[in-house]
Amino acid sequence: MDSRTGQQSHRGEDDLAYGDYHGTPPEEYPQEREFDGAEEGERGLIGDTFRRLRGKQPQHDGGSESKPPGLGSFIFDKLSGAVHDIGSEFNKRVTGKDDKHSHTHTGAQCTDGIHDSTQHRYGSFATQRTGNDVKWFVDGCGYFWAVSRALEQATQSIWILDWWLSPELYLRRPPSGNERYRLDRMLQAAAERGVKVNVIVYKEVTQALTRKYLSPTLPDYLHSLLPRSFDPVTRTLSGLGLAATFASLEQVEREKPLIASPLTVCSYHTKHALENLHPNIAVFRHPDHLPDAQTLESSFFSSLQHLSLSAKTISTLPADALKALYGVNEDIILYWAHHEKLCIIDGSTAFMGGLDMCYGRWDTNQHPIADCHPGNLDDIVFPGQDYNNARILDFQDVSNWQQNALNRKESSRMGWSDCSISLRGPVVEDLRAHFVERWNFIYNEKYDVRKDVRYSRLTFTQNTADTVPFSSAPAPASQPSQGPSSYLGSQGQYPPPPSRPHGASSHQPDLYGAQTQSTHASQGQVPYFPPPPISGHSVDEGFREQDSARNLGESDSGAGTHHHPHHHPHRQQLQEEAQSLEDAMRGQFEMGRQYLSGNEYYGKLRGNYQDAGIACQVVRSCTKWSHGVPTEHSVANAYISVIENSRHFVYIENQFFITATSDAQNPVKNKVGAAIVERILRAARAGEKFKMIVCIPSVPGFAGDLKDDSSLGTRAIMEYQYNSINRGGHSIMEMVAKEGYDPTEYIRFYNLRNYDRINVSGSMKDVEQKTGVNYEVAREEHDEAVELPAEDASAHPAAQSNYRQYQQAIPNTNKQQGLYTGRWDSVSECYMLGGEDIRNVPWEDGDYPEIDAFVTEELYIHTKVCIADDRVAIVGSANMNDRSQLGDHDSEIALIIEDPVSIDSYMNGKPYRAAKFAATLRRQMFRKHLGLLTPQKMAKPDQNFEPIGVPNVYDYGSREDDAVMDPMSDDFLNFWNSRARTNTDVFSKIFHPVPHDDVKTWKDYDTFYERFFKEADKEAEGKEGKKMPAKYMYGHVVAENFSPGAQGVKEVKELLSTIKGTLVEMPLLFLIKEDIAKEGISLNPLTEEVYT
C-alpha cells in the first residue's frame, strides 16, 4: 500500500509527532515559531534582547506586522553583527580554517596536506585492508575481561587512548577475589615486566585560572582591537562592557580565585596515579586550555556574547565572563575533546569502540542497577564511585575513588549499554599509525621542552609479521529450515524458549572448554568461507555440502575421483586437469553469486593468504588542534555513504542523534540526516520497503529534574535532537511528510529502560540489628579497602572493623526465604531469557516495604554503531552529532567492517546472504534489547569474554535467533514494536518516568512528574524551614497508583512480569508544545556548537 494513503486512520497525535503536514495549524504552537526568520539559531544576550527590542511576535492569522525597529534595534543590530564577526574569527583560530562547509561530500576536500587521502575511500587517511580478524563485545563485562587477558599477555608495549581512564577500574568482577585485575595494578605489573606503557587522555578544562592572567591594561587593549568601521555607539557600549566586566572580575578573583572544573573526570589524577607506579609508564594529557596571549586577546572580547540576560544570570555575570574566557559557560566545555577509545597491545592486538576504561562503563547484558548484598559484602560488584547514577549525583572528586555519596539502600545506579571490538591483522597498522601521530604531535607541542627521560617520540615501522594466516576451516553458517518468527502471535507474544537451542553447525563446539583446547594450535586464525581452489587441489568438504544444499553441486560427482591403477597416465592427467577446470568454474560461479547478492569483497579472497579474512578500513575525525593535520571527517563521509547505498535496512545505535537535512538547520552542520531523508524518499517513490531503526538514550545527558537550571545543557541537546527527528520544520520526519509519505513507515526511534529491586529486605535488617553496624558503613569500608593500593597493609577488607563485624554476623542471621544467598540481590534476570518470573521472587520486609525497593532508570545508550543490510558495520567512538562528525571538533576513530564470510539469513521474508560479523552483532544487540539473551554470568566466562583469536560464540538457528533474523519482516516488526509498547506502558504506570508522550507542556510535566518527585520549597509556600522531601524518591514506584499493602505489591509485580527486555518507545511528543531549552539560556553563535 502506498504510504501516502495507507495510514489515514492514524491522525491526531501520530501526525503531531512529525510536524504540521497533516493538518495541524501552525499557529497552534506559536512557541515554536517565535525564533523563525533571520535570527534563527541565535540565542542568549544578543539574540533574546534583539528580539525584544524589535518587538518580534508570532504571526497569527490576521495579526498585525511587527513594529518598525527603533534606536534599540539599531544598536543591537550593530552589536549582533559584531558578535557574528568575532565568533567567526574565534572559530577560524581554533580550527585553522575560515568557513564551515556542510560536510555532505565524500571526497577529500578537507584533507589536503599531510595525508594523501584522495585515493582512499571516504577521504580517510587509511585504505581498506583485507586479512583481518574482528570480534564484537556487547557491553563491558566480556570486553574488559578480554582487555585484562591481553594486558596479562603483553610483552612489549601497551598504547591507550581514552577520553577518561580510571586507574582504579576493576576489569573483572566482583572486585573481591579479583584484586590483581584492577587496571593500575595490571599496568604496573606489565611495566615491571619491561613493557612500555604509553597513555593519552583528554585533559579537561582545569581550575587553573588565577588573577595573574588578567593584565590591568587588557581592557583598553581589547577595546583597541575593535574594527575601526564600528560606529561610536557600538565602541562606547563595548568599552563600558569591558570596564564593568573587568572591575567585577577583580572582586570575583578575591572571593573565589579558582573555577571548578565543569567535568567530573580528573586527568591529573590519572596521570600521576599511573606514572607514580613505574618509570615505564608515560601519560600525556591534552589539550591545554590555558590561553596564550594571542588567544586571550581575541577570546575574551568574544566571551561577552556568552552572557545571559535574566535576574539570575545578572547576579553571576562576572563568574560567567571568567568562565567564558576559558571556553566554559554554564558548566559546559567549549573546547573540544579527545574522544577515541583505543588500546593496542604489542602492536598487533587492538581494542576499540565506545567503552572507555573508566568508572561507570562495566556492565553485564542484563544491566543490574541494584548492588546491595546483605548476605556477603564481598559480592559487591560496583565499588566506590563505580556505583554511579549521574541523574541523581554525578561523579564527585574522583581522585578519592572510594568515596561515594550515593546511598545504595535508596538509589539505583544507571545501567550502561555499549559496544566495542577486538581485532588483529593489517588494519592494526593504521591504528598504530594514528596513535603514533597523536603521541608525537603532543610530544612536540608540550613535552619535548621538558627533556624528561620518561617521555620520548615514538617511531613507526610497519609490522606485517603478525598478519592473520589463511585458514581452510569452514565458517559457521546457519541453515534455517523455515522463515524466521513464524510462530510469533498477532500480539507479538514470544513462546517459551526451547529446551535445547539449535547449534550453528557441527564444527562449532558447544562447550567453551573444548574450544579453548582447540584454539591453541590455531591461535589467530580467521574462520572464513574459503573459495573453491583454482588449482588441482580438492575442495573443502564443508564447502561442497553447502554448495549441494544451494543446488550448486558438482555436475559429475565421480569425475576424476576414482582412479583405476591401470589407467594410462595421460588419462589421469586429463582427469586432473578437468577436475581443476571444474573447480575453477565453480569458484567463478560462486564469486559471481556472492557479488550479485551484495558481497562484492568475496572475490578478493582468492590468491595471497593475506587477502583472506575481514575487509576493514579505519576512519576518523581530526584536525589541527587534535592531531596536527588538516581536517579529516571520514567518519561522517562513511556514515553518509553507507546509508545512501543501503538496500534494505539500517540500524543506528548511538548516544546522540543531532544531524541536519539541509543548511536551514543552523547551527547543526553534519548532513547524515540529509542522507537518511534521501534514502527514505528514494524507497518511498519506488514503492520499496525500507526500514531504519534508531536507538538513543531517552535523556542524552545526566540531568535529574529536567526543569532545574542545572539541566539547561541537557535540554539544549534534547531540543537539537527533536529538531533533527520530528520538529522545527526541517527534521527528518517532517521532510518525509512534506513529500506526502508517512515517515513512521520508514524510520522509528526507541530508548532503553530497565528496573531492579534493592535488597533492603529483612535479611539486611537482621544483620544490622545483631551488629549495630549500618550496612552502608560496612559497605564503605569494603569499598575503601578494595580501592587502596595493593601494597597498603589495610588493603584487605578484613582489616576494617565494621566490615569484619558485619561479615562475621551473617552466618547467625535468619535465613529469610533465601534473601541472604545473593540470588535476589538483583532481579534483573527477570526480564531476560530464562529468568525467574518476578511474581515468584521472595521478599520479607525490613526497613523498607517491598514496593519501595523497586527502582527504575533509563538504560544509558553509549553505543556508536551503524549496521546496514546486515552486511556493513561501523563501530567506533563517534557520536551522531557535529562534535563527532565534523572533524574539527572532537577527535574520533571508527572501523568500517565488511565481512566476506556469509551466513544464511532472511530479509523481508526472502532468503538472504548476510555478512557474519554485521548480522551476528545486530542480532545480539536486538536480542539483548528484547530480553532474548540469558543473563550474563560475570564469574563464568565463555568465548565472548576472550580477546581476538577465540571467535564469538552465537547460537545460530535457535528460536531466539530466528526471532530477530529478518529485521524487515512484519512478524519481527510487530514483535519489536509490541514489546516496546508494553514495556513503555508498564514503566509509565508504575514509575512515571520522563520523558513521556503524555507530557507535552511544562504544566503536564508538573502533573506527571514533579508533583511526585520534586522537593517542596517551604519558603515558596510562605513557610519557614528547609525544603520538604519529595513525595517519592527519584526512580521509585508511585505507590498511590496501587492498592495499599500486600495487594499493591502484587499489582506491581503483575505488571512487571509483562516487561521483557529493556526496549521502550521514544516519546516524540515530549514537550512538543514548548521551547525545551527555554528562552534566555546561554546559547549563542559560539556556545551552541558545544551542544551539537
Side-chain angles (χ1 to χ4, degrees), residues 341 352-356 361 416 418-420 862 864 875-877:
K341 301 91 171 64
M352 62 180 293
L355 283 159
D356 293 282
R361 273 44 172 182
W416 198 268
D418 218 326
C419 177
S420 283
H862 194 254
K864 297 92 170 55
V875 182
S877 66

Side-chain angles (χ1 to χ4, degrees), residues 19-76:
D20 304 326
Y21 304 104
H22 295 277
T24 304
E27 62 269 17
E28 186 175 344
Y29 307 115
Q31 301 94 326
E32 299 179 10
R33 310 291 176 256
E34 188 170 349
F35 301 109
D36 291 345
E39 305 305 318
E40 180 179 359
E42 184 176 327
R43 311 180 71 153
L45 172 66
I46 302 303
D48 296 342
T49 308
F50 180 63
R51 281 189 290 277
R52 290 190 182 96
L53 290 172
R54 284 185 57 183
K56 185 173 181 179
Q57 300 294 332
Q59 297 300 310
H60 301 278
D61 290 342
S64 60
E65 297 180 359
S66 299
K67 297 180 181 179
L71 176 61
S73 176
F74 171 77
I75 293 174
F76 279 92

Side-chain angles (χ1 to χ4, degrees), residues 298-584:
S298 62
S299 67
F300 187 81
F301 179 75
S302 64
S303 73
L304 292 177
Q305 75 189 77
H306 299 190
L307 307 183
S308 303
L309 189 61
S310 70
K312 175 180 178 294
T313 55
I314 285 175
S315 64
T316 60
L317 176 67
D320 280 347
L322 197 57
K323 289 180 180 181
L325 178 59
Y326 274 74
V328 182
N329 197 306
E330 294 295 338
D331 296 332
I332 299 295
I333 295 176
L334 175 61
Y335 292 155
W336 315 120
H338 290 302
H339 198 240
E340 299 102 320
K341 301 91 171 64
L342 176 66
C343 178
I344 305 175
I345 311 293
D346 292 338
S348 59
T349 298
F351 298 86
M352 62 180 293
L355 283 159
D356 293 282
M357 286 191 278
C358 67
Y359 292 143
R361 273 44 172 182
W362 190 98
D363 213 342
T364 59
N365 63 23
Q366 66 269 30
H367 303 286
I369 58 175
D371 195 30
C372 276
H373 303 273
N376 186 3
L377 288 165
D378 289 341
D379 287 342
I380 289 172
V381 179
F382 303 95
Q385 297 211 30
D386 205 21
Y387 187 88
N388 174 255
N389 189 337
R391 293 287 306 275
I392 302 173
L393 180 68
D394 207 350
F395 297 105
Q396 301 289 322
D397 187 17
V398 293
S399 59
N400 292 315
W401 53 87
Q402 74 283 1
Q403 297 180 3
N404 191 337
L406 197 63
N407 188 334
R408 302 188 188 203
K409 294 167 68 173
E410 297 179 348
S411 300
S412 74
R413 60 180 287 270
M414 179 184 287
W416 198 268
S417 184
D418 218 326
C419 177
S420 283
I421 56 177
S422 178
L423 60 149
R424 291 199 323 195
V427 74
V428 177
E429 299 301 305
D430 297 322
L431 297 175
R432 292 176 63 222
H434 178 78
F435 186 91
V436 170
E437 287 176 352
R438 176 70 52 77
W439 181 272
N440 289 343
F441 165 65
I442 298 173
Y443 176 83
N444 294 337
E445 184 180 81
K446 60 181 292 188
Y447 287 95
D448 185 25
V449 297
R450 302 187 184 187
K451 305 304 179 185
D452 189 329
V453 294
R454 183 190 297 267
Y455 311 119
S456 61
R457 289 174 54 86
L458 294 176
T459 57
F460 177 73
T461 53
Q462 190 169 9
N463 172 24
T464 59
D466 199 40
T467 51
V468 182
F470 175 87
S471 170
S472 60
S478 61
Q479 300 290 340
S481 58
Q482 61 180 359
S485 307
S486 58
Y487 48 82
L488 296 179
S490 59
Q491 301 301 317
Q493 297 299 316
Y494 189 76
S499 57
R500 184 180 183 277
H502 302 294
S505 55
S506 59
H507 62 268
Q508 183 167 346
D510 292 331
L511 298 179
Y512 174 63
Q515 177 64 31
T516 304
Q517 184 177 2
S518 64
T519 2
H520 290 304
S522 60
Q523 188 79 357
Q525 292 185 347
V526 181
Y528 89 107
F529 206 104
I534 57 175
S535 62
H537 299 291
S538 62
V539 180
D540 182 88
E541 188 63 27
F543 185 81
R544 287 184 182 273
E545 292 174 359
Q546 294 195 25
D547 274 352
S548 176
R550 302 185 195 108
N551 295 320
L552 296 174
E554 300 168 341
S555 58
D556 182 1
S557 60
T561 57
H562 302 286
H563 304 301
H564 194 277
H566 302 294
H567 279 179
H568 194 279
H570 291 296
R571 175 173 293 183
Q572 181 175 343
Q573 180 180 354
L574 289 173
Q575 288 176 334
E576 290 177 352
E577 290 177 353
Q579 180 66 51
S580 175
L581 178 61
E582 178 186 340
D583 290 341

Side-chain angles (χ1 to χ4, degrees), residues 217-262:
T217 62
L218 190 57
D220 292 337
Y221 180 69
L222 290 174
H223 191 252
S224 71
L225 296 178
L226 287 172
R228 295 182 179 180
S229 59
F230 278 16
D231 57 85
V233 174
T234 300
R235 297 184 69 86
T236 300
L237 286 174
S238 301
L240 291 173
L242 283 168
T245 300
F246 269 85
S248 300
L249 288 176
E250 291 291 330
Q251 180 63 29
V252 170
E253 284 285 298
R254 285 189 289 269
E255 297 175 354
K256 189 179 179 182
L258 298 178
I259 296 178
S261 171

